[in-house]
Amino acid sequence: MMTISDRIRELRRTRGISQEELAAQIGVSRQAVSKWESGQSVPDLDRVIALSDYFDVTTDYLLKGIQPSAPQAGRQAPNASVFAIAGTAFNVIGLAAACGIWYEQQTATAILIGLILMAMGCMIFGIGIVCSAEATRPAANHLFWKVNIWVLAFLPLAVVYNLLTYGIPAPYPLLFRPIFLFFLFWLVYFAICLLARRQLLRSDRTNDE
């Protein structure tokens, strides 16, 4: 059976914020929030009301776990993960289209088409995050960037690499001259993506505290 400490922790994690951020919103110390969530203490009435207002739940839910008896009927906000998946699909298709068209035609139009599709993918994700159910946003945000860090970084890095080395705006690294330049591209690409991935994981751990 859930306790008030469990409900506070669950609401905070659903909102995707850290203990420090919740403490700042409520006007208490991080240690106070930590004690609430570990069951070492319980918030006083003023803090319960503040938590209720911040999380948009009733005080009965916080104190007793009682949900409102008659929720209002209406259109339910969509799951943000749907938009994350759709945006990712557009980004992958954009990268594949740019590479495919360039392979066949070797024209800058390939880059333009790829960038347009990838911009649409990011736009779909951005709109979805705003319009979706708030509780589903943290997981969707993690899902989107977990994959798209690798997808979105590839095309611009490849274009810059090819322009600097060969003067050709190709969407994937070309292998013409010294092979070490080709391996340098992949080294830089993986380094950037892994650093971004590490930062994402660090942010997730911070929000989960």
Side-chain angles (χ1 to χ4, degrees):
M1 184 176 179
M2 291 183 67
T3 64
I4 184 172
S5 61
D6 297 326
R7 286 187 284 274
I8 293 173
R9 182 170 59 252
E10 180 183 54
L11 288 168
R12 177 181 63 79
R13 290 179 174 177
T14 300
R15 181 64 64 92
I17 61 173
S18 65
Q19 290 181 343
E20 289 87 350
E21 290 170 316
L22 176 58
Q25 293 291 335
I26 304 303
V28 297
S29 66
R30 188 199 68 81
Q31 289 76 15
V33 174
S34 178
K35 288 182 179 180
W36 295 345
E37 293 188 357
S38 63
Q40 297 179 45
S41 66
V42 295
D44 59 28
L45 181 59
D46 289 340
R47 303 309 179 193
V48 169
I49 294 173
L51 288 166
S52 170
D53 291 338
Y54 179 69
F55 289 122
D56 194 24
V57 296
T58 64
T59 54
D60 277 346
Y61 173 75
L62 278 173
L63 294 171
K64 305 175 184 178
I66 300 175
Q67 295 282 8
S69 57
Q72 292 184 346
R75 186 178 66 85
Q76 185 176 7
N79 191 313
S81 294
V82 174
F83 296 94
I85 294 171
T88 298
F90 266 83
N91 290 338
V92 172
I93 291 171
L95 179 58
C99 294
I101 294 172
W102 174 268
Y103 182 80
E104 294 292 334
Q105 302 178 7
Q106 286 81 51
T107 64
T109 303
I111 309 297
L112 180 61
I113 292 174
L115 289 175
I116 289 174
L117 288 171
M118 293 169 79
M120 290 175 63
C122 293
M123 188 178 301
I124 289 171
F125 172 67
I127 293 173
I129 284 294
V130 173
C131 300
S132 59
E134 185 173 353
T136 66
R137 294 174 189 174
N141 189 64
H142 177 82
L143 172 65
F144 182 82
W145 290 113
K146 179 180 179 180
V147 176
N148 287 274
I149 283 172
W150 302 91
V151 178
L152 295 173
F154 186 85
L155 191 148
L157 283 176
V159 170
V160 171
Y161 161 79
N162 289 312
L163 284 173
L164 292 176
T165 54
Y166 311 122
I168 303 172
Y172 52 84
L174 302 175
L175 179 58
F176 287 152
R177 281 177 270 183
I179 194 170
F180 81 88
L181 293 176
F182 180 77
F183 287 112
L184 179 62
F185 164 81
W186 288 107
L187 179 64
V188 172
Y189 169 68
F190 279 108
I192 290 175
C193 292
L194 288 173
L195 284 172
R197 173 69 177 151
R198 180 181 179 185
Q199 185 60 37
L200 177 64
L201 291 174
R202 181 180 298 173
S203 177
D204 288 343
R205 284 195 297 268
T206 299
N207 288 337
D208 199 41
E209 288 180 355

